[in-house]
Amino acid sequence: MATRKQSELYSGKAKTVYITDDPTQLILYFRDDTSAFDGKKIERFSRKGEINNKFNAFIMEKLAAAGIPTHFERLLSEQESLVKRLEMFPIECVVRNIATGSLCRRLGVQDGLDLDPPVFEFFLKDDARHDPMINEYHIRTFGWANPKQVEQMKEYTFRINDILKVLFLEAGLLLVDYKLEFGDVQGQVLLGDEFTPDGCRLWDVKTREKLDKDRFRHGLGGVTEAYEEVARRLGMPL
Ligand code: ATP
Ligand code: TYD
C-alpha cells in the first residue's frame, strides 16, 4: 500500500516534514525556498526543490550502496521522498577538505588552503544562537548524544568523505566541505536529512568556480543552473 501523507510535523527553512500513516516513516517535501545567514536571506528558485530531492536520492543511494546506513527509502514524487523517522541529534557534523567560509573568518587561515588531514567540526542546531561550534564535551554533558553515537557520527562522516570526494572528483568537482545530520532509530545511528548543494561546497576542479549555495549566499546568480550542472556531471537523471 502506498504511504499516505498525514499532518505536517515541521516546516524548516527548505523542507517540510510530514507524518505518514506509518509511524516509522516520514515524507520530506523539498521546497523551492533557499535560505542563508540563519534564515535572514530567503529566495525561491523555480525547480530547486525538485533538483535537490533527486540529487539527495542519488547521493543517499550511492552512500547506502557503499555501506552507510541512511534514512532514505525512495522517491515519491518530483519534490517528495519517503524516509525512516529518526530521533535527530541536534548536531551538525561538518568536514572540510579545503578552507573557506566560517573557518577562514574564525581562524584567519587563507581561503582555498588544502586541509590535510581534513578538519571535523560539530555545530549545535540552533538558528537563534547562529549554530555555535561545540565539542564532544558539550555533547556529552548536555546529553545531545552519547559517546558511542558521537563515535559513529564521526566514523560515518569520514567514510562519507572518502566515498564522495572520489565521486565528485570523477565529475571534475572538488568537495570543499559539507554538513551532515544524523539520528537514532532503535539504537542505530543513521544518516538523516539531506546531501545536496545546499549543504556542501563544490568547486570546479580547474577553475575553482563555485557550484553550490555560495552562489546564493554571495549573490553570484545562476543558482539552479549550477546545481543542474553538478547533477549533469554526475550523470544524475533529472
Ligand atoms: P537547517 O537548514 O539548519 O538544517 P531547518 O530545520 O530549517 O534547519 P529543513 O531542511 O528545512 O532545515 O528541515 C528539515 C528538518 O527535518 C530538519 O530539522 C531535520 O533535522 C529534520 N529531519 C531530516 N530527516 C529526518 C528524519 N529522517 N527524521 C526526523 N527528522 C528529520
Ligand atoms: P561554514 O563554512 O561553517 O558556513 P558559512 O561560511 O556559510 O557560515 O559551513 C561549512 C559547510 O557546512 C558548508 O558547506 C555549509 C554547511 N553548513 C550548512 O549547510 N548548514 C549549517 O548550519 C552549517 C553550520 C554548515
Side-chain angles (χ1 to χ4, degrees):
M1 201 185 73
T3 310
R4 277 199 307 262
K5 205 150 83 180
Q6 304 275 353
S7 54
E8 186 180 304
L9 176 67
Y10 173 77
S11 190
K13 297 189 291 297
K15 300 193 289 301
T16 305
V17 182
Y18 294 93
I19 288 169
T20 70
D21 45 16
D22 180 337
T24 68
Q25 295 183 322
L26 296 174
I27 292 175
L28 299 185
Y29 175 77
F30 288 73
R31 305 197 312 271
D32 287 338
D33 300 308
T34 305
S35 78
F37 312 120
D38 302 321
K40 281 197 223 43
K41 180 173 176 174
I42 300 172
E43 215 174 304
R44 192 166 281 172
F45 294 98
S46 162
R47 282 195 16 93
K48 201 212 73 164
E50 179 188 338
I51 296 165
N52 272 6
N53 185 36
K54 293 177 181 174
F55 197 107
N56 179 61
F58 181 89
I59 298 289
M60 288 280 173
E61 279 171 355
K62 290 274 180 210
L63 294 176
I68 304 289
T70 90
H71 69 154
F72 182 77
E73 296 276 9
R74 61 190 156 90
L75 280 171
L76 289 180
S77 69
E78 301 288 86
Q79 288 181 248
E80 292 169 317
S81 284
L82 187 68
V83 299
K84 291 190 184 73
R85 183 173 186 164
L86 308 180
E87 195 68 52
M88 298 301 288
F89 304 115
I91 292 167
E92 310 194 318
C93 299
V94 169
V95 161
R96 302 170 183 275
N97 295 306
I98 299 177
T100 195
S102 75
L103 182 77
C104 297
R105 292 197 297 277
R106 249 185 292 128
L107 304 181
V109 294
Q110 192 196 327
D111 199 296
L113 187 74
D114 281 332
L115 302 172
D116 185 15
V119 168
F120 185 103
E121 295 169 341
F122 286 115
F123 294 89
L124 180 67
K125 267 181 76 77
D126 187 341
D127 280 342
R129 291 183 174 77
H130 313 292
D131 291 346
M133 193 162 87
I134 53 172
N135 65 32
E136 291 179 33
Y137 288 88
H138 298 110
I139 296 174
R140 188 185 296 204
T141 301
F142 299 115
W144 292 319
N146 69 40
K148 199 170 145 226
Q149 292 165 330
V150 169
E151 281 316 306
Q152 282 270 261
M153 285 190 265
K154 284 199 294 189
E155 188 205 319
Y156 289 148
T157 302
F158 278 118
R159 268 170 61 191
I160 290 168
N161 199 34
D162 293 337
I163 299 160
L164 295 187
K165 260 196 312 190
V166 173
L167 184 84
F168 285 115
L169 197 57
E170 284 171 356
L173 297 160
L174 294 170
L175 178 58
V176 174
D177 56 29
Y178 57 91
K179 179 265 299 180
L180 303 175
E181 293 181 27
F182 294 88
D184 172 279
V185 64
Q186 294 177 329
Q188 297 271 80
V189 173
L190 266 62
L191 175 65
D193 204 45
E194 66 177 74
F195 192 102
T196 69
D198 270 4
C200 70
R201 288 188 170 103
L202 297 163
W203 293 352
D204 178 87
V205 71
K206 288 208 193 81
T207 64
R208 296 212 159 195
E209 185 189 8
K210 297 178 198 304
L211 295 166
D212 53 65
K213 199 162 85 171
D214 268 353
R215 300 204 70 81
F216 171 67
R217 291 191 189 94
H218 304 311
L220 301 174
V223 178
T224 36
E225 290 79 359
Y227 289 23
E228 279 172 324
E229 169 67 11
V230 174
R232 190 191 59 73
R233 289 198 200 182
L234 288 167
M236 214 180 275
L238 275 186

